[in-house]
Amino acid sequence: MSQAHQLLVMKFGGTNMQDARAISHSASLAARSLREGVKVIVVVSAMAGVTNQLLQLADAAQSGDIARANDDIAAMRTRHFTAAQELGAAPDSETVRELRELHETLRQAVYGVYLLRELTPRSRDLIVAFGERLSAPLMALALEQSGLRAKHMTGGEAGILTDTHFGNARPQSSTYERIKDRLSGFLSAGVTPVIAGFMGETDKGAITTLGRGGTDFSATIVGKALGADEVWAWKDVDGVMSADPRVVKDARNIEVLSYGEVMELAYFGAKVLHPLAVTPLKESGIPLRVKSAADPDFAGTLVRAQADQDPNRPVKAVTAIKNVSLLTVTGAGVLGVPEVIASVFSAIARENITLLMVSQSSSMSNVSMAVPSTDAERALNALRSGLSQELNVEEKSNVAVLAIVGSGMRGQQGVSAKMFSALASEGINIQMISQGSSELNISVAIDGPQVDTATQAVHNAFSLGVQG
Ligand code: ASP
Ligand code: MG
């Protein structure tokens, strides 16, 4: 398959980087293509669990518990050093020296947070990006140990320049030229760049992150910049699945998805890709493959511009977002007053909260929104202080959003009817409905505890477990 390729970007996720064994295996997957004469750029995630650990220890430092933060840093340090050693690094090697320096800088950054008892989005990004900065040297080491030449670098060093939206930064348009300038020399010299994913930097050199799961996004940004033939996202799953395989036993791998379909899936809770990961590819038409590291010869899922148009399969997958809250704004004042709607959305926007679903009754007497429950309190406060007194805001927690995704439902009748009757036959009440005008998805809000039953029922109704 790779014979025809000249340049591939390969992304390795957290489980593919979790210890020396996983890293060696990942390196061998890159090496396979390199030995066939393909140029490869590697983009890595932090070791599995490290990102969460960094977020937690930063919180501990902010709340004054520096002992706990230091313990966590020490545990993480052991994990990285053990991996380096198992990958064959000598105690006085460059890799070990670099890991030591990075941990020392991390410790200082965390100590700063402790002294100030302040954790800004900017300092959180600095701290959380250490996960990827620490795993990149390990991957470079593994490649070198198998006789290849590699050079590891931070996202910023690779040329990823972002805005200052810490925690959720976006690439600036000049990024693509910068990446090309910085990486082309390595590639023509036969050196494989190993880039710390998830991170970029601002024009002042402050470290930013691209949002959780952002290494996918780093990889596609780099893929676009260099005009790669394909971007391969190596995972610990077979590809993108028709439903969460932990919930639905007969969930199946999906062979082909369009960029639009995969974005909807990611947005509606399928943890398979960063929701914006395919955006750089959309403009350039570069395909992305989600591949299983355990089964590298399996094709996985191909994501490309063109959807698979099987009329018998208008729906390709069913996904769910758990822990959702519904917020409803009611009151006579909502009636026919567009300014009220505007102030509702601007209050939410100021808090930078993701709206999962929105619906408005046609009388305009109420507006409902689904938000992640973790953001519900912030959203409520923002609404209560941003709206006039006559309006009421109510919260209903313990809700889930279930979505069906597939481009084939565009213009096809009966799809929503089938979804609703599958839910009705399980006695599941629908609290809110929305269909994007793109007709790529239909989503419903239901009671949280019913979500697994609902997922299974909808998966069955559309025969998603049956080979197409
Ligand atoms: N390590 C980051 C995360 O866990 C980025 C990534 O894995 O893609 O969100
Ligand atoms: Mg991760």
Side-chain angles (χ1 to χ4, degrees):
M1 184 194 326
S2 55
Q3 257 80 6
H5 296 138
Q6 289 169 4
L7 181 64
L8 292 174
V9 177
M10 292 194 182
K11 176 260 171 168
F12 294 97
T15 31
N16 308 103
M17 295 294 296
Q18 66 186 350
D19 52 24
R21 239 187 56 164
I23 296 171
S24 301
H25 179 64
S26 298
S28 76
L29 295 173
R32 258 169 48 137
S33 292
L34 285 161
R35 297 222 159 85
E36 289 168 5
V38 182
K39 293 192 186 304
V40 177
I41 295 151
V42 174
V43 186
V44 296
S45 287
M47 288 175 139
V50 163
T51 303
N52 287 335
Q53 222 172 357
L54 285 164
L55 289 169
Q56 282 160 14
L57 71 88
D59 284 338
Q62 180 195 25
S63 61
D65 195 351
I66 191 66
R68 149 116 204 261
N70 280 334
D71 284 351
D72 286 358
I73 294 174
M76 204 178 285
R77 194 168 190 261
T78 307
R79 200 168 156 199
H80 289 109
F81 278 103
T82 306
Q85 200 178 15
E86 288 175 6
L87 289 168
D92 60 351
S93 64
E94 177 71 8
T95 308
V96 166
R97 194 183 57 71
E98 277 179 320
L99 292 181
R100 198 176 289 133
E101 258 171 33
L102 283 167
H103 274 103
E104 181 52 24
T105 315
L106 167 63
R107 207 186 51 77
Q108 288 171 7
V110 171
Y111 197 68
V113 167
Y114 163 70
L115 290 178
L116 294 163
R117 300 292 197 279
E118 181 188 57
L119 182 60
T120 60
R122 183 188 289 256
S123 36
R124 189 183 284 113
D125 269 4
L126 171 67
I127 290 170
V128 78
F130 274 99
E132 274 69 13
R133 289 171 74 183
L134 284 158
S135 64
L138 295 172
M139 173 59 92
L141 173 64
L143 287 168
E144 281 159 2
Q145 297 291 26
S146 55
L148 295 157
R149 291 168 67 208
K151 164 88 179 148
H152 66 85
M153 57 191 86
T154 65
E157 286 163 352
I160 300 181
L161 182 76
T162 73
D163 59 20
T164 55
H165 211 125
F166 293 96
N168 231 341
R170 296 289 168 261
Q172 304 280 54
S173 53
S174 59
T175 280
Y176 301 101
E177 272 307 308
R178 284 164 62 108
I179 294 174
K180 212 167 153 189
D181 285 350
R182 292 179 187 205
L183 299 188
S184 299
F186 290 115
L187 291 171
S188 46
V191 176
T192 298
V194 177
I195 304 168
F198 182 44
M199 63 177 305
E201 65 186 43
T202 67
D203 56 358
K204 296 207 173 57
I207 285 175
T208 54
T209 65
L210 306 171
R212 290 309 301 269
T215 303
D216 295 324
F217 200 8
S218 310
T220 56
I221 292 169
V222 171
K224 175 184 172 180
L226 294 167
D229 295 298
E230 292 188 356
V231 176
W232 289 5
W234 292 100
K235 305 263 164 173
D236 59 345
V237 293
D238 282 344
V240 184
M241 307 289 284
S242 56
D244 182 343
R246 287 163 305 183
V247 175
V248 177
K249 289 180 307 301
D250 59 343
R252 234 174 22 87
N253 174 64
I254 306 172
E255 282 158 38
V256 177
L257 285 169
S258 68
Y259 298 133
E261 288 173 326
V262 99
M263 276 179 83
E264 300 280 341
L265 282 174
Y267 183 76
F268 284 108
K271 293 246 157 48
V272 62
L273 280 178
H274 185 290
L276 294 181
V278 297
T279 49
L281 303 183
K282 262 183 146 165
E283 297 145 24
S284 47
I286 297 171
L288 175 131
R289 262 177 218 283
V290 180
K291 285 178 70 73
S292 161
D295 190 3
D297 294 322
F298 183 67
T301 299
L302 175 64
V303 182
R304 61 177 191 201
Q306 199 55 37
D308 208 4
Q309 298 291 9
D310 177 353
N312 297 319
R313 206 175 274 283
V315 172
K316 305 227 168 81
V318 48
T319 54
I321 311 178
K322 298 179 180 177
N323 301 317
V324 170
S325 293
L326 292 187
L327 306 178
T328 303
V329 181
T330 54
V334 185
L335 239 161
V337 189
E339 289 77 13
V340 176
I341 311 294
S343 59
V344 165
F345 291 137
S346 48
I348 295 289
R350 268 196 302 279
E351 288 293 319
N352 196 15
I353 290 167
T354 307
L355 289 178
L356 303 170
M357 280 172 84
V358 178
S359 96
Q360 184 189 20
S361 67
S362 53
S363 70
M364 286 173 94
S365 65
N366 69 62
V367 187
S368 301
M369 289 155 284
V371 298
S373 291
T374 45
D375 292 337
E377 197 173 307
R378 265 191 319 130
L380 274 178
N381 291 338
L383 290 170
R384 288 192 173 129
S385 61
L387 298 177
S388 79
Q389 301 295 326
E390 312 108 72
L391 297 175
N392 248 315
V393 191
E394 274 161 40
E395 181 194 355
K396 184 167 188 300
S397 56
N398 214 358
V399 170
V401 171
L402 185 87
I404 53 175
V405 174
S407 62
M409 67 174 86
R410 187 176 291 140
Q412 208 188 97
Q413 294 130 27
V415 174
S416 55
K418 198 182 247 186
M419 178 185 198
F420 298 152
S421 66
L423 295 173
S425 68
E426 295 291 336
I428 293 163
N429 179 38
I430 298 174
Q431 301 170 18
M432 186 174 163
I433 300 173
S434 113
Q435 176 179 27
S437 57
S438 65
E439 291 189 55
L440 278 175
N441 81 77
I442 300 172
S443 52
V444 295
I446 58 176
D447 253 348
Q450 294 181 309
V451 68
D452 288 351
T453 312
T455 304
Q456 179 74 68
V458 172
H459 195 265
N460 284 346
F462 289 99
S463 310
L464 298 183
V466 181
Q467 192 72 37

